[in-house]
Structure formats: C-alpha cells, structure tokens
Amino acid sequence: MDRAPEPRTALHRLDGDDPATAARRAAVVRLRPLPAQEPYSSRAEVTLPLADAEPTRTPFAVEHDGRVVGFGVIDSLGYLADVVDRPDEAALLRGFYLDAAEQNRGIGRATVPLLRVLARELVPAARILVLTVNEANPAAVRAYTAGGFVDVGRYLGGGLGPQRVMAVAL
C-alpha cells in the first residue's frame, strides 16, 4: 500500500515546553533574514521574547525537510484595529521571515496555506490573515502576492514609513 509522502514544509508552535519545542526555539534564534530585510522583520532573538510576554501572540517555526528555516508570530490583537474594519474577525502575521539561505526556493509560498490553518487554530473567529509590509520592501510585497495575499490598503503607523496592508482569506 502506497503512503502519501510527508509534507516538506510544516509550522510548529513555539509556546510549549517540550524538548522538540526547545530545540526549535534555539534554532529560530540563529536564523537571519537578508540584511536589507532585517529592519522590517527584525530577528527572532528580539521578537520571540516579545511574543512570549504577550498572551495574544503565538510564535512559530517554519520547518522544511526537517530543518528550521523560518520564524513568525500570529497575533490576535496587535494593531488590527488600525488596519482592518473588523479586527475581531482577523489575525495578524508579525515578524515573519525565512533565513536568508532559504529564500527563493518556494518555501514562503508553501508556507501560506499552513499559515492560514495556524491562524484559524489560534484565532477561531478570524476570517482573514493580515500583515503589513513596508512600501520600501517591494521584494516582500511580491513574495506575499505570489503566496496569495492581496493588497487591501495602506497603513501609516509603522516606525519605518508607509506600509501596504495585505490579507488572505482563511
């Protein structure tokens, strides 16, 4: 009997205290986005402790072929009221990035359906997953668009200038 192949890309929550989670937490702290991306996404060594301190945020690792290659946070509150009409029906993707060595391999695109599943799990009332991306970061806009996100507006509250608000249905 043939078995379906294991998925190559998976998301793992980082809010547990088991050994596998501890290993993934250590791995995400070692990841680095491209230098030009870091001002926008920061790094897990900064954003992971912030997520741990805020009960509305859930950090996660992206694994591809069994290796941790990315990091992000799903937030059920954040600044949603500033970017969508119905914040109680949205989840916010924050601080998401793939390690520089793992980019341009289709992993980000493969991650979007998984992000949708995780957002529904974490924020059951959510109907959309929202993110903001700096207008000075057109490569990220293209990447999110390729993953199925659509531009739904503009956000001027970012510390590094105007941002596009992008969303994908859950």
Side-chain angles (χ1 to χ4, degrees), residues 103 106 128 135:
Q103 294 185 24
I128 59 171
E135 291 179 358

Side-chain angles (χ1 to χ4, degrees), residues 40-41 54 56-57 73-88 90-96 128-134 144 152-166:
Y40 308 118
S41 66
E54 182 57 54
T56 64
R57 299 180 190 182
V73 176
I74 299 285
D75 192 339
S76 64
L77 184 62
Y79 51 93
L80 282 166
D82 296 331
V83 296
V84 294
D85 292 334
R86 295 186 168 138
D88 55 322
L92 180 65
L93 177 63
R94 308 177 71 128
F96 178 72
I128 59 171
L129 177 61
V130 178
L131 61 86
T132 59
V133 58
N134 198 286
Y144 288 121
V152 296
R154 198 169 194 223
Y155 175 58
L156 300 176
L160 295 175
Q163 299 179 52
R164 300 310 309 168
V165 179
M166 300 186 79

Side-chain angles (χ1 to χ4, degrees), residues 3 7 16 18 27 29 32 40 64 67 90 115 135-136 142 151 170:
R3 293 179 47 123
D18 59 283
V29 170
R32 298 288 184 265
Y40 308 118
H64 184 76
R67 295 174 297 107
L115 289 170
E135 291 179 358
R142 286 190 302 276
D151 190 321
L170 298 179

